[in-house]
């Protein structure tokens, strides 16, 4: 298994300070941290080789796409400058986004969106300065969404469910090229995205983590092709044993050892989610096995500080 020894790799934290971003980018409301915008801009400017597509999964209001597009525009290696950012979103103001309480600004002016309202127009207006470099694709992403062309830079910010995880692995990860392609896993250090940890554990021989951002993201280089079978196996969540889930989250903790102490509670929630997902979705026989797992209950009790087992175990077993 290729794992980083961060202590031996003094990572250049070039995204911390040295990347100037245009106001038109930083004015766009976003769920990304400023270091992430700097990273996206800086990576596309300084490291993108033009050997595959740039894909942004989860446009939201366009900030990440704008940071990437401005990086492409400033990239001196791109002679033809014919690379664009393909940015995808369902653009439904649903539960995935309406928890967000940041200021909503569309084209520089305050705006308001109602439940279920389509907000593609807001993203389009926000990325207008990079119109020639960003193609916005509206709709629910599934395994057929992508053309199948090679992808060099894949920004993943939509892996919020089992189905989407499977679709992204099948439709996009299978188009990554060894030693060339990068996956920016925006939610790696966030809670409620258990599927990222489980799937990246099963794909650990295919990806080398190369950048660890101070918040949210871990960035991987593809080192082996991901076949359709690999993608299916990595997203067969019914097939994970309790022990493999523990192993997966231990592996994640190891990859994030630099800042694990600060974000451990997020990862605990993701770990817990992985278990609860099993409890909810799995057949009774498997649920009973999970319920009999002492580590599982000890973990719940440590996180919540209450006797969770006493509260829900009878229902689970029954
Ligand atoms: C965390 S936000 C993305 C933030 C964005 N990267 C930025 O620059 O601010 C996640 C977005 O993914 C979209 N989304 C989630 N699951 C999706 C799916 N399966 N297909 C299409 N869009 C999806 C949501 O509508 C939401 O706008």
């Amino acid at each position: 298994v290729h794992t980083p020894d961060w202590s031996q790799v003094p990572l250049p934290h070039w995204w911390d300070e040295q990347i100037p971003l245009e106001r038109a980018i930083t004015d766009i409301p976003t769920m990304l941290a400023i270091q992430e915008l700097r990273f996206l801009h800086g990576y596309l400017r300084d490291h993108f080789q033009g050997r595959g597509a740039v894909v942004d999964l989860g446009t939201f209001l366009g900030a990440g796409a704008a940071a990437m597009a401005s990086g492409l525009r400033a990239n001196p290696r791109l002679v033809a400058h014919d690379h664009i950012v393909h940015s995808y979103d369902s653009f439904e103001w649903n539960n995935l986004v309406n928890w967000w309480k940041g200021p909503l600004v569309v084209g520089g002016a305050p705006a308001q969106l109602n439940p279920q309202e389509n907000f593609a127009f807001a993203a389009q207006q926000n990325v207008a300065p990079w119109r020639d470099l960003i193609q916005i694709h509206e709709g629910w992403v599934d395994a057929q969404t992508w053309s199948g062309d090679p992808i060099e830079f894949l920004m993943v910010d939509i892996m919020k469910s089992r189905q989407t995880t499977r679709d992204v692995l099948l439709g996009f990860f299978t188009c990554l090229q060894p030693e060339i392609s990068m996956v920016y896993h925006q939610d790696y250090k966030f809670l409620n995205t258990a599927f990222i940890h489980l799937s990246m554990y099963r794909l650990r021989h295919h990806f080398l983590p190369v950048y660890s951002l101070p918040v949210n993201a871990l960035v991987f280089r593809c080192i082996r092709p991901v076949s359709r079978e690999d993608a299916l196996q990595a997203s067969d969540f019914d097939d994970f044993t309790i022990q493999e889930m523990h192993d997966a989250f231990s592996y994640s903790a190891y990859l994030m050892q630099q800042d694990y102490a600060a974000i451990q509670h997020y990862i605990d929630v993701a770990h817990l989610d992985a278990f609860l997902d099993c409890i909810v979705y799995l057949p009774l026989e498997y649920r009973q096995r999970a319920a009999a797992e002492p580590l599982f209950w000890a973990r719940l009790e440590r996180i919540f500080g209450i006797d969770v087992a006493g509260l829900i175990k009878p229902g689970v077993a029954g």
Side-chain angles (χ1 to χ4, degrees):
V1 181
H2 300 265
T3 48
D5 179 353
W6 299 118
S7 64
Q8 300 300 310
V9 186
L11 285 175
H13 281 196
W14 43 263
W15 54 84
D16 273 349
E17 279 145 22
Q18 300 154 21
I19 310 273
L21 291 176
E22 294 164 61
R23 270 288 297 277
I25 301 172
T26 53
D27 279 354
I28 301 175
T30 180
M31 300 183 190
L32 306 184
I34 185 75
Q35 294 98 331
E36 296 188 88
L37 296 176
R38 291 200 188 109
F39 179 94
L40 294 170
H41 173 90
Y43 190 87
L44 274 289
R45 185 190 69 185
D46 299 340
H47 301 284
F48 180 72
Q49 304 172 47
R51 297 172 71 181
V54 182
V55 176
D56 173 37
L57 297 179
T59 320
F60 190 46
L61 294 166
M68 288 183 247
S70 63
L72 281 181
R73 186 175 278 166
N75 185 325
R77 255 165 279 99
L78 300 179
V79 183
H81 275 279
D82 53 358
H83 283 86
I84 62 167
V85 179
H86 290 277
S87 189
Y88 292 84
D89 207 295
S90 59
F91 294 112
E92 283 168 34
W93 200 253
N94 56 22
N95 289 341
L96 283 174
V97 287
N98 70 7
W99 57 270
W100 190 72
K101 298 290 175 246
L104 189 53
V105 180
V106 178
Q112 197 174 348
L113 286 168
N114 300 314
Q116 305 309 322
E117 193 175 336
N118 182 298
F119 62 96
F121 75 97
Q124 293 281 12
Q125 283 189 42
N126 288 336
V127 304
W130 305 274
R131 191 170 283 136
D132 55 326
L133 290 167
I134 299 176
Q135 187 171 352
I136 288 186
H137 304 264
E138 193 180 328
W140 201 252
V141 168
D142 65 27
Q144 275 73 50
T145 299
W146 180 244
S147 61
D149 289 343
I151 296 173
E152 181 174 332
F153 190 84
L154 178 61
M155 151 59 142
V156 183
D157 198 2
I158 64 167
M159 251 187 203
K160 326 280 181 187
S161 72
R162 313 179 142 214
Q163 187 58 49
T164 301
T165 302
R166 168 157 284 200
D167 288 343
V168 171
L169 294 184
L170 279 171
F172 296 85
F173 275 49
T174 51
C175 300
L176 299 171
Q177 307 164 83
E179 301 305 335
I180 295 171
S181 306
M182 305 290 284
V183 174
Y184 184 98
H185 251 314
Q186 203 275 339
D187 280 316
Y188 203 92
K189 300 181 184 180
F190 199 53
L191 66 177
N192 294 338
T193 46
F195 309 109
I196 294 177
H197 298 269
L198 300 181
S199 55
M200 289 309 277
Y201 178 67
R202 285 222 170 146
L203 291 173
R204 64 194 180 281
H205 300 287
H206 299 252
F207 291 95
L208 178 68
V210 284
Y211 297 110
S212 180
L213 269 76
V215 278
N216 304 332
L218 210 61
V219 188
F220 295 85
R221 176 180 295 123
C222 177
I223 52 172
R224 272 173 69 178
V226 177
S227 68
R228 191 179 153 73
E229 289 65 38
D230 296 328
L232 286 171
Q233 210 242 347
S235 57
D236 187 359
F237 299 111
D238 288 350
D239 181 50
F240 277 81
T241 63
I242 297 293
Q243 186 56 52
E244 195 181 6
M245 284 187 204
H246 282 312
D247 293 346
F249 282 90
S250 301
Y251 176 70
S252 301
Y254 173 67
L255 297 190
M256 295 181 289
Q257 59 187 263
Q258 274 187 322
D259 50 6
Y260 187 59
I263 55 166
Q264 187 183 352
H265 59 289
Y266 281 166
I267 305 310
D268 277 346
V269 174
H271 194 166
L272 179 64
D273 255 13
F275 284 127
L276 292 181
D277 186 70
C278 285
I279 300 297
V280 174
Y281 285 104
L282 293 185
L284 181 62
E285 185 195 323
Y286 192 99
R287 282 186 267 154
Q288 281 168 334
R289 268 203 280 146
E293 164 70 50
L295 268 175
F296 172 53
W297 301 109
R299 189 118 192 167
L300 289 185
E301 282 170 33
R302 185 168 68 69
I303 293 168
F304 291 115
I306 52 169
D307 179 15
V308 190
L311 288 177
I312 61 173
K313 204 169 174 177
V316 169

